[in-house]
PDB file of all heavy atoms in Angstrom:
ATOM      1  N   ASP A  24      -6.146  -1.959 -14.652  1.00  0.00           N
ATOM      2  CA  ASP A  24      -7.463  -1.670 -15.208  1.00  0.00           C
ATOM      3  C   ASP A  24      -7.325  -0.533 -16.226  1.00  0.00           C
ATOM      4  O   ASP A  24      -7.015   0.602 -15.857  1.00  0.00           O
ATOM      5  CB  ASP A  24      -8.407  -1.255 -14.080  1.00  0.00           C
ATOM      6  CG  ASP A  24      -9.828  -1.005 -14.560  1.00  0.00           C
ATOM      7  OD1 ASP A  24     -10.038  -0.883 -15.783  1.00  0.00           O
ATOM      8  OD2 ASP A  24     -10.726  -0.933 -13.697  1.00  0.00           O
ATOM      9  N   PRO A  25      -7.549  -0.798 -17.517  1.00  0.00           N
ATOM     10  CA  PRO A  25      -7.343   0.241 -18.533  1.00  0.00           C
ATOM     11  C   PRO A  25      -8.389   1.348 -18.513  1.00  0.00           C
ATOM     12  O   PRO A  25      -8.190   2.399 -19.114  1.00  0.00           O
ATOM     13  CB  PRO A  25      -7.417  -0.541 -19.840  1.00  0.00           C
ATOM     14  CG  PRO A  25      -8.312  -1.698 -19.539  1.00  0.00           C
ATOM     15  CD  PRO A  25      -8.002  -2.069 -18.110  1.00  0.00           C
ATOM     16  N   TYR A  26      -9.509   1.116 -17.830  1.00  0.00           N
ATOM     17  CA  TYR A  26     -10.598   2.095 -17.839  1.00  0.00           C
ATOM     18  C   TYR A  26     -10.666   2.946 -16.576  1.00  0.00           C
ATOM     19  O   TYR A  26     -11.342   3.962 -16.560  1.00  0.00           O
ATOM     20  CB  TYR A  26     -11.950   1.380 -18.004  1.00  0.00           C
ATOM     21  CG  TYR A  26     -12.024   0.457 -19.181  1.00  0.00           C
ATOM     22  CD1 TYR A  26     -12.061  -0.917 -19.005  1.00  0.00           C
ATOM     23  CD2 TYR A  26     -12.049   0.949 -20.490  1.00  0.00           C
ATOM     24  CE1 TYR A  26     -12.129  -1.786 -20.088  1.00  0.00           C
ATOM     25  CE2 TYR A  26     -12.111   0.098 -21.577  1.00  0.00           C
ATOM     26  CZ  TYR A  26     -12.150  -1.268 -21.368  1.00  0.00           C
ATOM     27  OH  TYR A  26     -12.221  -2.117 -22.450  1.00  0.00           O
ATOM     28  N   ILE A  27      -9.999   2.542 -15.535  1.00  0.00           N
ATOM     29  CA  ILE A  27     -10.154   3.175 -14.233  1.00  0.00           C
ATOM     30  C   ILE A  27      -9.879   4.675 -14.291  1.00  0.00           C
ATOM     31  O   ILE A  27      -8.957   5.140 -14.974  1.00  0.00           O
ATOM     32  CB  ILE A  27      -9.215   2.506 -13.193  1.00  0.00           C
ATOM     33  CG1 ILE A  27      -9.542   2.985 -11.785  1.00  0.00           C
ATOM     34  CG2 ILE A  27      -7.752   2.750 -13.528  1.00  0.00           C
ATOM     35  CD1 ILE A  27      -8.825   2.205 -10.704  1.00  0.00           C
ATOM     36  N   ALA A  28     -10.707   5.450 -13.589  1.00  0.00           N
ATOM     37  CA  ALA A  28     -10.523   6.896 -13.527  1.00  0.00           C
ATOM     38  C   ALA A  28      -9.232   7.218 -12.774  1.00  0.00           C
ATOM     39  O   ALA A  28      -8.823   6.473 -11.873  1.00  0.00           O
ATOM     40  CB  ALA A  28     -11.716   7.542 -12.829  1.00  0.00           C
ATOM     41  N   GLN A  29      -8.596   8.315 -13.145  1.00  0.00           N
ATOM     42  CA  GLN A  29      -7.304   8.659 -12.562  1.00  0.00           C
ATOM     43  C   GLN A  29      -7.381   8.834 -11.047  1.00  0.00           C
ATOM     44  O   GLN A  29      -6.494   8.397 -10.304  1.00  0.00           O
ATOM     45  CB  GLN A  29      -6.756   9.943 -13.200  1.00  0.00           C
ATOM     46  CG  GLN A  29      -5.325  10.267 -12.801  1.00  0.00           C
ATOM     47  CD  GLN A  29      -4.364   9.154 -13.177  1.00  0.00           C
ATOM     48  OE1 GLN A  29      -4.310   8.731 -14.323  1.00  0.00           O
ATOM     49  NE2 GLN A  29      -3.598   8.669 -12.210  1.00  0.00           N
ATOM     50  N   GLU A  30      -8.454   9.459 -10.577  1.00  0.00           N
ATOM     51  CA  GLU A  30      -8.604   9.658  -9.135  1.00  0.00           C
ATOM     52  C   GLU A  30      -8.719   8.321  -8.409  1.00  0.00           C
ATOM     53  O   GLU A  30      -8.124   8.126  -7.337  1.00  0.00           O
ATOM     54  CB  GLU A  30      -9.836  10.520  -8.851  1.00  0.00           C
ATOM     55  CG  GLU A  30      -9.993  10.895  -7.386  1.00  0.00           C
ATOM     56  CD  GLU A  30     -11.163  11.806  -7.136  1.00  0.00           C
ATOM     57  OE1 GLU A  30     -11.744  12.315  -8.128  1.00  0.00           O
ATOM     58  OE2 GLU A  30     -11.519  12.012  -5.952  1.00  0.00           O
ATOM     59  N   ASP A  31      -9.465   7.395  -8.996  1.00  0.00           N
ATOM     60  CA  ASP A  31      -9.582   6.060  -8.401  1.00  0.00           C
ATOM     61  C   ASP A  31      -8.250   5.331  -8.425  1.00  0.00           C
ATOM     62  O   ASP A  31      -7.883   4.645  -7.469  1.00  0.00           O
ATOM     63  CB  ASP A  31     -10.634   5.241  -9.159  1.00  0.00           C
ATOM     64  CG  ASP A  31     -12.043   5.775  -8.948  1.00  0.00           C
ATOM     65  OD1 ASP A  31     -12.285   6.404  -7.912  1.00  0.00           O
ATOM     66  OD2 ASP A  31     -12.888   5.573  -9.841  1.00  0.00           O
ATOM     67  N   GLN A  32      -7.519   5.473  -9.532  1.00  0.00           N
ATOM     68  CA  GLN A  32      -6.208   4.846  -9.644  1.00  0.00           C
ATOM     69  C   GLN A  32      -5.255   5.357  -8.567  1.00  0.00           C
ATOM     70  O   GLN A  32      -4.511   4.582  -7.961  1.00  0.00           O
ATOM     71  CB  GLN A  32      -5.627   5.105 -11.036  1.00  0.00           C
ATOM     72  CG  GLN A  32      -4.194   4.621 -11.238  1.00  0.00           C
ATOM     73  CD  GLN A  32      -4.069   3.103 -11.249  1.00  0.00           C
ATOM     74  OE1 GLN A  32      -5.065   2.388 -11.144  1.00  0.00           O
ATOM     75  NE2 GLN A  32      -2.856   2.622 -11.376  1.00  0.00           N
ATOM     76  N   ASN A  33      -5.294   6.652  -8.310  1.00  0.00           N
ATOM     77  CA  ASN A  33      -4.422   7.230  -7.288  1.00  0.00           C
ATOM     78  C   ASN A  33      -4.760   6.673  -5.904  1.00  0.00           C
ATOM     79  O   ASN A  33      -3.856   6.423  -5.097  1.00  0.00           O
ATOM     80  CB  ASN A  33      -4.545   8.754  -7.285  1.00  0.00           C
ATOM     81  CG  ASN A  33      -3.890   9.390  -8.502  1.00  0.00           C
ATOM     82  OD1 ASN A  33      -3.035   8.786  -9.150  1.00  0.00           O
ATOM     83  ND2 ASN A  33      -4.289  10.605  -8.813  1.00  0.00           N
ATOM     84  N   ARG A  34      -6.041   6.473  -5.645  1.00  0.00           N
ATOM     85  CA  ARG A  34      -6.430   5.908  -4.351  1.00  0.00           C
ATOM     86  C   ARG A  34      -5.971   4.456  -4.227  1.00  0.00           C
ATOM     87  O   ARG A  34      -5.533   4.021  -3.152  1.00  0.00           O
ATOM     88  CB  ARG A  34      -7.951   6.000  -4.168  1.00  0.00           C
ATOM     89  CG  ARG A  34      -8.432   7.405  -3.804  1.00  0.00           C
ATOM     90  CD  ARG A  34      -9.852   7.354  -3.245  1.00  0.00           C
ATOM     91  NE  ARG A  34     -10.815   7.014  -4.277  1.00  0.00           N
ATOM     92  CZ  ARG A  34     -11.512   7.899  -4.962  1.00  0.00           C
ATOM     93  NH1 ARG A  34     -11.340   9.187  -4.743  1.00  0.00           N
ATOM     94  NH2 ARG A  34     -12.391   7.513  -5.869  1.00  0.00           N
ATOM     95  N   VAL A  35      -6.058   3.711  -5.326  1.00  0.00           N
ATOM     96  CA  VAL A  35      -5.580   2.327  -5.311  1.00  0.00           C
ATOM     97  C   VAL A  35      -4.080   2.284  -5.033  1.00  0.00           C
ATOM     98  O   VAL A  35      -3.603   1.501  -4.202  1.00  0.00           O
ATOM     99  CB  VAL A  35      -5.893   1.629  -6.653  1.00  0.00           C
ATOM    100  CG1 VAL A  35      -5.172   0.280  -6.734  1.00  0.00           C
ATOM    101  CG2 VAL A  35      -7.394   1.426  -6.815  1.00  0.00           C
ATOM    102  N   ILE A  36      -3.332   3.146  -5.715  1.00  0.00           N
ATOM    103  CA  ILE A  36      -1.879   3.191  -5.520  1.00  0.00           C
ATOM    104  C   ILE A  36      -1.546   3.566  -4.083  1.00  0.00           C
ATOM    105  O   ILE A  36      -0.637   2.990  -3.472  1.00  0.00           O
ATOM    106  CB  ILE A  36      -1.228   4.189  -6.496  1.00  0.00           C
ATOM    107  CG1 ILE A  36      -1.380   3.704  -7.936  1.00  0.00           C
ATOM    108  CG2 ILE A  36       0.250   4.379  -6.170  1.00  0.00           C
ATOM    109  CD1 ILE A  36      -0.889   4.699  -8.972  1.00  0.00           C
ATOM    110  N   ARG A  37      -2.295   4.518  -3.533  1.00  0.00           N
ATOM    111  CA  ARG A  37      -2.047   4.942  -2.155  1.00  0.00           C
ATOM    112  C   ARG A  37      -2.198   3.760  -1.199  1.00  0.00           C
ATOM    113  O   ARG A  37      -1.361   3.554  -0.305  1.00  0.00           O
ATOM    114  CB  ARG A  37      -2.996   6.068  -1.770  1.00  0.00           C
ATOM    115  CG  ARG A  37      -2.738   6.644  -0.375  1.00  0.00           C
ATOM    116  CD  ARG A  37      -3.614   7.857  -0.094  1.00  0.00           C
ATOM    117  NE  ARG A  37      -3.280   8.943  -1.007  1.00  0.00           N
ATOM    118  CZ  ARG A  37      -4.064   9.358  -2.005  1.00  0.00           C
ATOM    119  NH1 ARG A  37      -5.227   8.757  -2.226  1.00  0.00           N
ATOM    120  NH2 ARG A  37      -3.699  10.342  -2.789  1.00  0.00           N
ATOM    121  N   GLY A  38      -3.243   2.979  -1.385  1.00  0.00           N
ATOM    122  CA  GLY A  38      -3.436   1.821  -0.532  1.00  0.00           C
ATOM    123  C   GLY A  38      -2.327   0.790  -0.695  1.00  0.00           C
ATOM    124  O   GLY A  38      -1.850   0.216   0.288  1.00  0.00           O
ATOM    125  N   GLN A  39      -1.889   0.559  -1.926  1.00  0.00           N
ATOM    126  CA  GLN A  39      -0.830  -0.410  -2.190  1.00  0.00           C
ATOM    127  C   GLN A  39       0.500   0.029  -1.585  1.00  0.00           C
ATOM    128  O   GLN A  39       1.216  -0.773  -0.961  1.00  0.00           O
ATOM    129  CB  GLN A  39      -0.684  -0.611  -3.701  1.00  0.00           C
ATOM    130  CG  GLN A  39      -1.882  -1.286  -4.350  1.00  0.00           C
ATOM    131  CD  GLN A  39      -1.809  -1.251  -5.863  1.00  0.00           C
ATOM    132  OE1 GLN A  39      -1.278  -0.310  -6.456  1.00  0.00           O
ATOM    133  NE2 GLN A  39      -2.364  -2.267  -6.510  1.00  0.00           N
ATOM    134  N   VAL A  40       0.836   1.299  -1.758  1.00  0.00           N
ATOM    135  CA  VAL A  40       2.106   1.817  -1.244  1.00  0.00           C
ATOM    136  C   VAL A  40       2.108   1.806   0.281  1.00  0.00           C
ATOM    137  O   VAL A  40       3.093   1.393   0.915  1.00  0.00           O
ATOM    138  CB  VAL A  40       2.367   3.238  -1.781  1.00  0.00           C
ATOM    139  CG1 VAL A  40       3.580   3.861  -1.088  1.00  0.00           C
ATOM    140  CG2 VAL A  40       2.589   3.207  -3.287  1.00  0.00           C
ATOM    141  N   LEU A  41       1.013   2.235   0.884  1.00  0.00           N
ATOM    142  CA  LEU A  41       0.916   2.226   2.344  1.00  0.00           C
ATOM    143  C   LEU A  41       1.054   0.809   2.892  1.00  0.00           C
ATOM    144  O   LEU A  41       1.718   0.588   3.911  1.00  0.00           O
ATOM    145  CB  LEU A  41      -0.417   2.830   2.779  1.00  0.00           C
ATOM    146  CG  LEU A  41      -0.510   4.357   2.803  1.00  0.00           C
ATOM    147  CD1 LEU A  41      -1.942   4.796   3.058  1.00  0.00           C
ATOM    148  CD2 LEU A  41       0.421   4.932   3.862  1.00  0.00           C
ATOM    149  N   THR A  42       0.443  -0.148   2.208  1.00  0.00           N
ATOM    150  CA  THR A  42       0.543  -1.535   2.642  1.00  0.00           C
ATOM    151  C   THR A  42       1.995  -2.002   2.654  1.00  0.00           C
ATOM    152  O   THR A  42       2.450  -2.646   3.609  1.00  0.00           O
ATOM    153  CB  THR A  42      -0.285  -2.448   1.722  1.00  0.00           C
ATOM    154  OG1 THR A  42      -1.663  -2.082   1.800  1.00  0.00           O
ATOM    155  CG2 THR A  42      -0.144  -3.906   2.122  1.00  0.00           C
ATOM    156  N   CYS A  43       2.739  -1.676   1.604  1.00  0.00           N
ATOM    157  CA  CYS A  43       4.143  -2.096   1.522  1.00  0.00           C
ATOM    158  C   CYS A  43       4.994  -1.441   2.607  1.00  0.00           C
ATOM    159  O   CYS A  43       5.813  -2.104   3.264  1.00  0.00           O
ATOM    160  CB  CYS A  43       4.707  -1.753   0.139  1.00  0.00           C
ATOM    161  SG  CYS A  43       4.068  -2.769  -1.199  1.00  0.00           S
ATOM    162  N   VAL A  44       4.815  -0.143   2.813  1.00  0.00           N
ATOM    163  CA  VAL A  44       5.625   0.578   3.796  1.00  0.00           C
ATOM    164  C   VAL A  44       5.315   0.096   5.210  1.00  0.00           C
ATOM    165  O   VAL A  44       6.234  -0.173   6.006  1.00  0.00           O
ATOM    166  CB  VAL A  44       5.392   2.102   3.682  1.00  0.00           C
ATOM    167  CG1 VAL A  44       6.128   2.836   4.803  1.00  0.00           C
ATOM    168  CG2 VAL A  44       5.874   2.614   2.334  1.00  0.00           C
ATOM    169  N   ILE A  45       4.030  -0.044   5.535  1.00  0.00           N
ATOM    170  CA  ILE A  45       3.658  -0.486   6.876  1.00  0.00           C
ATOM    171  C   ILE A  45       4.047  -1.949   7.091  1.00  0.00           C
ATOM    172  O   ILE A  45       4.403  -2.356   8.204  1.00  0.00           O
ATOM    173  CB  ILE A  45       2.158  -0.264   7.116  1.00  0.00           C
ATOM    174  CG1 ILE A  45       1.845   1.227   7.042  1.00  0.00           C
ATOM    175  CG2 ILE A  45       1.743  -0.816   8.472  1.00  0.00           C
ATOM    176  CD1 ILE A  45       0.388   1.568   7.215  1.00  0.00           C
ATOM    177  N   THR A  46       4.007  -2.754   6.031  1.00  0.00           N
ATOM    178  CA  THR A  46       4.461  -4.144   6.141  1.00  0.00           C
ATOM    179  C   THR A  46       5.935  -4.197   6.525  1.00  0.00           C
ATOM    180  O   THR A  46       6.347  -5.019   7.355  1.00  0.00           O
ATOM    181  CB  THR A  46       4.246  -4.887   4.811  1.00  0.00           C
ATOM    182  OG1 THR A  46       2.849  -4.978   4.542  1.00  0.00           O
ATOM    183  CG2 THR A  46       4.839  -6.296   4.867  1.00  0.00           C
ATOM    184  N   SER A  47       6.740  -3.319   5.927  1.00  0.00           N
ATOM    185  CA  SER A  47       8.164  -3.259   6.263  1.00  0.00           C
ATOM    186  C   SER A  47       8.352  -2.906   7.732  1.00  0.00           C
ATOM    187  O   SER A  47       9.158  -3.526   8.442  1.00  0.00           O
ATOM    188  CB  SER A  47       8.868  -2.231   5.374  1.00  0.00           C
ATOM    189  OG  SER A  47      10.214  -2.073   5.761  1.00  0.00           O
ATOM    190  N   ILE A  48       7.604  -1.901   8.206  1.00  0.00           N
ATOM    191  CA  ILE A  48       7.701  -1.492   9.616  1.00  0.00           C
ATOM    192  C   ILE A  48       7.280  -2.643  10.529  1.00  0.00           C
ATOM    193  O   ILE A  48       7.945  -2.944  11.526  1.00  0.00           O
ATOM    194  CB  ILE A  48       6.823  -0.254   9.877  1.00  0.00           C
ATOM    195  CG1 ILE A  48       7.343   0.945   9.068  1.00  0.00           C
ATOM    196  CG2 ILE A  48       6.778   0.078  11.366  1.00  0.00           C
ATOM    197  CD1 ILE A  48       6.447   2.158   9.131  1.00  0.00           C
ATOM    198  N   ALA A  49       6.169  -3.291  10.174  1.00  0.00           N
ATOM    199  CA  ALA A  49       5.648  -4.383  10.997  1.00  0.00           C
ATOM    200  C   ALA A  49       6.620  -5.560  11.038  1.00  0.00           C
ATOM    201  O   ALA A  49       6.825  -6.174  12.094  1.00  0.00           O
ATOM    202  CB  ALA A  49       4.295  -4.838  10.461  1.00  0.00           C
ATOM    203  N   ALA A  50       7.233  -5.874   9.900  1.00  0.00           N
ATOM    204  CA  ALA A  50       8.170  -7.006   9.851  1.00  0.00           C
ATOM    205  C   ALA A  50       9.386  -6.745  10.736  1.00  0.00           C
ATOM    206  O   ALA A  50       9.813  -7.623  11.496  1.00  0.00           O
ATOM    207  CB  ALA A  50       8.608  -7.246   8.410  1.00  0.00           C
ATOM    208  N   SER A  51       9.945  -5.542  10.650  1.00  0.00           N
ATOM    209  CA  SER A  51      11.110  -5.210  11.483  1.00  0.00           C
ATOM    210  C   SER A  51      10.734  -5.234  12.964  1.00  0.00           C
ATOM    211  O   SER A  51      11.482  -5.767  13.800  1.00  0.00           O
ATOM    212  CB  SER A  51      11.649  -3.829  11.107  1.00  0.00           C
ATOM    213  OG  SER A  51      12.099  -3.808   9.766  1.00  0.00           O
ATOM    214  N   SER A  52       9.573  -4.669  13.293  1.00  0.00           N
ATOM    215  CA  SER A  52       9.123  -4.649  14.688  1.00  0.00           C
ATOM    216  C   SER A  52       8.909  -6.065  15.212  1.00  0.00           C
ATOM    217  O   SER A  52       9.316  -6.389  16.336  1.00  0.00           O
ATOM    218  CB  SER A  52       7.822  -3.844  14.806  1.00  0.00           C
ATOM    219  OG  SER A  52       7.984  -2.526  14.318  1.00  0.00           O
ATOM    220  N   PHE A  53       8.288  -6.902  14.393  1.00  0.00           N
ATOM    221  CA  PHE A  53       8.018  -8.277  14.802  1.00  0.00           C
ATOM    222  C   PHE A  53       9.327  -9.033  15.048  1.00  0.00           C
ATOM    223  O   PHE A  53       9.454  -9.752  16.040  1.00  0.00           O
ATOM    224  CB  PHE A  53       7.205  -8.971  13.718  1.00  0.00           C
ATOM    225  CG  PHE A  53       7.002 -10.443  13.949  1.00  0.00           C
ATOM    226  CD1 PHE A  53       6.166 -10.899  14.951  1.00  0.00           C
ATOM    227  CD2 PHE A  53       7.669 -11.379  13.162  1.00  0.00           C
ATOM    228  CE1 PHE A  53       5.983 -12.259  15.174  1.00  0.00           C
ATOM    229  CE2 PHE A  53       7.490 -12.727  13.369  1.00  0.00           C
ATOM    230  CZ  PHE A  53       6.645 -13.168  14.381  1.00  0.00           C
ATOM    231  N   LEU A  54      10.291  -8.847  14.173  1.00  0.00           N
ATOM    232  CA  LEU A  54      11.560  -9.561  14.331  1.00  0.00           C
ATOM    233  C   LEU A  54      12.349  -9.072  15.537  1.00  0.00           C
ATOM    234  O   LEU A  54      13.078  -9.848  16.168  1.00  0.00           O
ATOM    235  CB  LEU A  54      12.387  -9.427  13.051  1.00  0.00           C
ATOM    236  CG  LEU A  54      11.826 -10.214  11.857  1.00  0.00           C
ATOM    237  CD1 LEU A  54      12.615  -9.902  10.595  1.00  0.00           C
ATOM    238  CD2 LEU A  54      11.831 -11.704  12.137  1.00  0.00           C
ATOM    239  N   ILE A  55      12.217  -7.794  15.877  1.00  0.00           N
ATOM    240  CA  ILE A  55      12.854  -7.287  17.099  1.00  0.00           C
ATOM    241  C   ILE A  55      12.233  -7.975  18.315  1.00  0.00           C
ATOM    242  O   ILE A  55      12.939  -8.400  19.248  1.00  0.00           O
ATOM    243  CB  ILE A  55      12.692  -5.753  17.199  1.00  0.00           C
ATOM    244  CG1 ILE A  55      13.579  -5.060  16.159  1.00  0.00           C
ATOM    245  CG2 ILE A  55      13.061  -5.263  18.606  1.00  0.00           C
ATOM    246  CD1 ILE A  55      13.378  -3.558  16.084  1.00  0.00           C
ATOM    247  N   ILE A  56      10.906  -8.094  18.305  1.00  0.00           N
ATOM    248  CA  ILE A  56      10.212  -8.759  19.410  1.00  0.00           C
ATOM    249  C   ILE A  56      10.621 -10.225  19.503  1.00  0.00           C
ATOM    250  O   ILE A  56      10.901 -10.741  20.598  1.00  0.00           O
ATOM    251  CB  ILE A  56       8.688  -8.637  19.225  1.00  0.00           C
ATOM    252  CG1 ILE A  56       8.257  -7.175  19.356  1.00  0.00           C
ATOM    253  CG2 ILE A  56       7.953  -9.507  20.242  1.00  0.00           C
ATOM    254  CD1 ILE A  56       6.803  -6.935  19.013  1.00  0.00           C
ATOM    255  N   ILE A  57      10.679 -10.911  18.358  1.00  0.00           N
ATOM    256  CA  ILE A  57      11.061 -12.327  18.351  1.00  0.00           C
ATOM    257  C   ILE A  57      12.492 -12.503  18.847  1.00  0.00           C
ATOM    258  O   ILE A  57      12.804 -13.452  19.593  1.00  0.00           O
ATOM    259  CB  ILE A  57      10.902 -12.922  16.936  1.00  0.00           C
ATOM    260  CG1 ILE A  57       9.430 -13.052  16.576  1.00  0.00           C
ATOM    261  CG2 ILE A  57      11.595 -14.282  16.832  1.00  0.00           C
ATOM    262  CD1 ILE A  57       8.647 -13.986  17.468  1.00  0.00           C
TER     263      ILE A  57
END
């Protein structure tokens, strides 16, 4: 989004990064269980 405010952009990035990191943790945990 070329117009998005910097503070909003940082919050979007935070959500995206957290999703990726927690997805990695969840995938490893799930495969250990399987």
Side-chain angles (χ1 to χ4, degrees):
D24 183 346
Y26 307 109
I27 190 170
Q29 188 59 54
E30 186 177 350
D31 292 334
Q32 174 69 2
N33 288 339
R34 283 197 290 264
V35 170
I36 294 174
R37 184 174 296 109
Q39 293 170 328
V40 172
L41 280 172
T42 298
C43 289
V44 174
I45 297 178
T46 295
S47 175
I48 296 173
S51 298
S52 303
F53 173 71
L54 290 174
I55 288 174
I56 294 173
I57 289 298

